[in-house]
Structures are given as structure tokens and as C-alpha cells.
């Protein structure tokens, strides 16, 4: 199973902070051969961006981690976290689509550094993508 | 960028219907070497399943499609739809986690046929994964 990048993230962020992404504005530059496939996307207020988190650690990963690297939180299974370090380094973020101009999508809230490869773009569809009444553990709420 | 399957979908569905997935119960059988990384996942009521939609068409895809193949809906850019036929055949579905037993996750609402490779599992986190007040075009609501 081989992925190809369909685009790349462009922003001012060179190093991954843990938090504070909410206000970051990024441009997603999509391969110009795919421009027409972006038509109508801006009829949605929010999109989901699938990323290849290329800056992640290689090699064998511990099965358990402290969420967000915070030692005071319990050690939990890696799949119960959003750590970028996972068997397939895939990221998925829901962002506000500010503007589409040609092959460029301007978005707000994308938690990815400059140069991150983009592998898919999907419209965010409430009901299908959201779960009302979802329950999360206390260590996520903290 | 190479993906490895971390598991496989097991259910009774051999052919993809367009709708009616809500009540389907599936087992996601994760590679047993990763069992411990699933710990704590069942503290979440909902998870997101990333899939490799292996039954999709190969070759060049038209840039525009009728959503869900319905000819009465407008022709829109492929990235504005959830069509499984996309440059990288990645699927992402939010499902209810009914039970985790060892390396098996029993879920409800997964829109994938038996044998679909699973490439990532993520906890669903309201607020991060949901967008209140998201706007969608009329052809999605229909």
C-alpha cells in the first residue's frame, strides 16, 4: 500500500509545539494536476486534512505512552492517544476552510509544521463525522 | 510513503451498499503484536477507523463526480465528496466502540466490507474532531 502526496502544508511553523494551533493559518498547496477536484469544497465550512507526519520517530515504538508526553497523566495504549508516533504516521485534523483559490486551500487550526505532506482532503459532514454524546476518559479532559 | 495494515475488518458484508451501515456490527481484528497499544481505548465511546479502501478503481479518476453516484445531484469536485475513489484510497469513519476484547474491537456503523485493511485507529475527541456550526452545501443534506 503506497501513498502519494497530493499536496504540502505551508505555514510559519518550523517546529511542532504541543498546543496553541487553534489560530495558526496555513496554506495547503495541492498538486496543480488535481485543482479541478477541489471544486465545490468551499461550499463546506470545515474540512478534514489527512497528513503524513514525516517528522516522527522511526523504529520500534513503545506500546504505552503518557498522553502529550505529560508524565502526570497515566500510561495508556498508544492507539488511545493522538500521538503522531504510531505504526502508520497518519494525522487527521478538522480545520476551518477560510478560502480556496485555485489549488490552494487556506485553513485555520491545522496542527502540522511547514512542509508536512498532505495525503487526502475530505469534507467535514456533521452527523457522519461527529458523534453527539461521545464519552472520553478524564485524562483527556484534563 | 508506505503503509502497513495494522488489522482487518471482519463482518458479514461482502459487497458495498451505498447506505444502511448504521446498524452493521463489525469486528476489527488488530495484529496481535499491537494488542497492548489498544489498552485504554475502551475508555472512549467512539473511535475513528482509517481504512485502505482496497476495492476501489485503479487508474486515472475523473476530477468531478456525482455525489454517491446520484445523477440528479450536481457534478462536484472529487475532494468535495467522500467517494472511496480518490488519489489515495483512504477512508475515515467514526464508529461506536461496543467492546474491546484483546486484539479485537467490536464496533457499530463501520462502512467497510469484510476483508478491508485497517491502517490506523484513533480515539474520537469531541471539540478536536467535531466542528459545531459546520456548514454543508444543500446537495449533501438531500
Amino acid at each position: 500500500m503506497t501513498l502519494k502526496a497530493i499536496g504540502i502544508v505551508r505555514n510559519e511553523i518550523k517546529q511542532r509545539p504541543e498546543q496553541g494551533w487553534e489560530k495558526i493559518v496555513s496554506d495547503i498547496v495541492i498538486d496543480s494536476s488535481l485543482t479541478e477536484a477541489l471544486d465545490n469544497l468551499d461550499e463546506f465550512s470545515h474540512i478534514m486534512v489527512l497528513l503524513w507526519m514525516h517528522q516522527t520517530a522511526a523504529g520500534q515504538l513503545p506500546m504505552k505512552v503518557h498522553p502529550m508526553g505529560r508524565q502526570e497523566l497515566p500510561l495508556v495504549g498508544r492507539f488511545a492517544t493522538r500521538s503522531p508516533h504510531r505504526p502508520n504516521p497518519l494525522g487527521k485534523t478538522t480545520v476551518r476552510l477560510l478560502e480556496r483559490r485555485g489549488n490552494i486551500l487556506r485553513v485555520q487550526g491545522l496542527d502540522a509544521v511547514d512542509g508536512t505532506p498532505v495525503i487526502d482532503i475530505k469534507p467535514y459532514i456533521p452527523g457522519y463525522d461527529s458523534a453527539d454524546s461521545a464519552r472520553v476518559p478524564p485524562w483527556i479532559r484534563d
Side-chain angles (χ1 to χ4, degrees), chain A:
Chain A
M1 301 184 289
T2 306
L3 292 173
K4 41 186 176 278
I6 62 161
I8 192 166
V9 174
R10 288 298 175 208
N11 61 26
E12 300 292 311
I13 312 298
K14 307 300 170 194
Q15 248 194 331
R16 200 178 167 80
E18 283 295 335
Q19 294 186 315
W21 292 99
E22 297 80 5
K23 296 202 181 300
I24 303 290
V25 172
S26 303
D27 282 344
I28 300 172
V29 182
I30 300 290
D31 189 299
S32 59
S33 70
L34 297 169
T35 300
E36 208 187 338
L38 297 172
D39 286 357
N40 309 91
L41 193 62
D42 55 5
E43 297 179 41
F44 295 84
S45 63
H46 292 74
I47 61 175
M48 297 184 299
V49 182
L50 298 190
L51 303 159
W52 184 260
M53 294 184 288
H54 63 311
Q55 291 194 327
T56 51
Q60 196 70 28
L61 298 168
M63 294 285 167
K64 301 231 182 178
V65 290
H66 294 287
M68 295 168 286
R70 287 169 52 185
Q71 302 295 317
E72 76 273 21
L73 296 179
L75 207 54
V76 301
R78 187 170 289 281
F79 286 125
T81 76
R82 297 298 280 266
S83 166
H85 309 281
R86 41 210 315 127
N88 294 306
L90 302 175
K92 176 251 146 193
T93 305
T94 301
V95 297
R96 182 177 291 275
L97 177 58
L98 301 176
E99 185 185 16
R100 177 243 171 153
R101 201 156 40 172
N103 65 324
I104 298 176
L105 304 172
R106 179 156 288 184
V107 301
Q108 183 177 337
L110 184 61
D111 48 354
V113 299
D114 186 59
T116 303
V118 174
I119 54 175
D120 202 4
I121 298 285
K122 296 182 189 293
Y124 174 83
I125 304 175
Y128 182 74
D129 291 309
S130 60
D132 295 341
S133 77
R135 180 173 46 77
V136 300
W139 48 267
I140 279 282
R141 289 195 298 270
D142 289 347

